Amino acid sequence: MTTRRLLLGLMGVLLLTVAVVRTRPSAAMDPNTQEFPVTGVLTAAPAEGRVMVSHDAIPGYMPAMTMPFAIAAGEPLPALAPGDRVRFVLRVSEAASAATRFEVVGHDAAVAQALRGAAPSRSRLRTGDALPEVSLVTEAGRPFTAADLRGQATALTFVFTRCPVPEFCPLMVKRFQQIQRELDADPALADARLLAVTLDPAFDTPPVLRAYAEAMRADPTRWQFVTGPPAQITSLTKAFAVHVERNGVLLDHTLATAVIGPDGRIEALWRGNGWSADEVVAALRTALSATE
């Protein structure tokens, strides 16, 4: 009887151990994942796996700003509406971030009313439009204008070097790195170029951009970074309907990526980060073939 009880006890311990291992959160297996508590007000209902939140400062991560957060896959959400005050946990790894454990803690009727009365933003530039004239400077300190894009197909995107959110500038740079590799491997794309426009010209001076480009292994003969007077950068961001708002040393911004054809006109245009490197390469290929 004593032996039987001992065996049953050991079996129970074993089953409990297996259950603990199976139910342990996957985040605990990644020592590089950090978790930050976030509070804020929804400025738009969840859509396409994201939720827009005007959040308070996140200690140790970023200042207060308004930005979209990716919702963790399979995350059960409470009913969420613009104006809701929420709290949630932001998990950040080297590759991505995701919001989880949402709670509605109140509702701001004034914010909801203001959002209902806000006019929807519209893109100024569309496919087929000509790129506006700009006077910028490259990471090498050379002047750069729209004329420098003529005769080649160029993929253009917006970044800033201090961007901390994995799905924003770091993701744009990673995809451009992939595109650079694909362009280098295909002689038919010898006339394709990459261009990254800074959103933070006050900090991202040519020397800063040059160091950043080198760290990102950008080939200067293929991929340039440009900065310039704030008025010139603002003119370009407005043309692409890229919202930029300073929050302390960082920026709250949206995303836009485009392919400019050899004639200086927009071949393709993407909002947000839902595009792939293959799509951009295909658009570059189409833009170049149109001139043959």
Side-chain angles (χ1 to χ4, degrees):
M1 182 64 69
T2 301
T3 302
R4 183 179 180 184
R5 287 179 179 175
L6 179 59
L7 290 173
L8 289 173
L10 290 173
M11 184 174 293
V13 171
L14 177 60
L15 290 174
L16 178 60
T17 301
V18 171
V20 169
V21 170
R22 288 180 175 176
T23 58
R24 183 176 297 161
S26 58
M29 300 179 185
D30 184 357
N32 295 319
T33 297
Q34 295 179 282
E35 291 193 348
F36 301 94
V38 183
T39 58
V41 179
L42 261 70
T43 61
E48 299 180 349
R50 294 183 175 274
V51 61
M52 184 73 73
V53 179
S54 176
H55 64 81
D56 302 323
I58 306 175
Y61 188 56
M62 70 171 66
M65 64 176 68
T66 301
M67 61 173 286
F69 290 91
I71 301 169
E75 176 70 14
L77 290 178
L80 295 174
D84 283 348
R85 292 191 174 277
V86 297
R87 63 185 174 208
F88 58 92
V89 173
L90 181 65
R91 291 176 179 165
V92 182
S93 68
E94 293 181 357
S97 65
T100 185
R101 306 207 295 270
F102 282 84
E103 295 180 68
V104 177
V105 296
H107 185 77
D108 193 320
V111 171
Q113 180 62 35
L115 291 170
R116 282 194 292 270
S121 60
R122 294 187 177 182
S123 167
R124 287 179 58 187
L125 284 177
R126 293 176 173 81
T127 302
D129 290 345
L131 189 71
E133 290 300 325
V134 289
S135 180
L136 303 172
V137 61
T138 70
E139 80 281 1
R142 292 191 293 269
F144 184 92
T145 68
D148 290 299
L149 300 180
R150 296 298 178 95
Q152 59 194 27
T154 304
L156 175 154
T157 198
F158 295 87
V159 300
F160 73 104
T161 61
R162 295 184 290 180
C163 183
V165 184
E167 295 92 343
F168 279 67
C169 308
L171 179 59
M172 300 302 98
V173 171
K174 284 182 180 179
R175 287 182 179 165
F176 266 42
Q177 288 172 330
Q178 180 181 348
I179 295 169
Q180 179 178 250
R181 290 192 293 270
E182 294 191 30
L183 299 184
D184 289 344
D186 190 344
L189 295 172
D191 290 329
R193 297 291 183 270
L194 303 175
L195 182 68
V197 181
T198 182
L199 296 170
D200 189 10
F203 181 84
D204 288 342
T205 60
V208 171
L209 289 179
R210 184 167 59 251
Y212 185 76
E214 291 173 356
M216 297 301 107
R217 299 183 180 179
D219 178 355
T221 66
R222 174 81 76 176
W223 181 1
Q224 290 182 300
F225 288 74
V226 292
T227 185
Q232 291 289 308
I233 298 294
T234 298
S235 174
L236 200 55
T237 56
K238 285 185 175 180
F240 281 94
V242 174
H243 168 78
V244 183
E245 180 180 344
R246 182 164 294 281
N247 291 279
V249 298
L250 299 182
L251 301 174
D252 164 24
H253 68 95
T254 56
L255 298 168
T257 301
V259 167
I260 314 299
D263 60 355
R265 295 186 177 276
I266 296 176
E267 177 73 28
L269 180 60
W270 298 268
R271 302 292 172 194
N273 61 6
W275 53 272
S276 68
D278 288 343
E279 287 179 290
V280 172
V281 171
L284 288 168
R285 195 181 303 279
T286 298
L288 289 172
S289 64
T291 62
E292 294 177 354

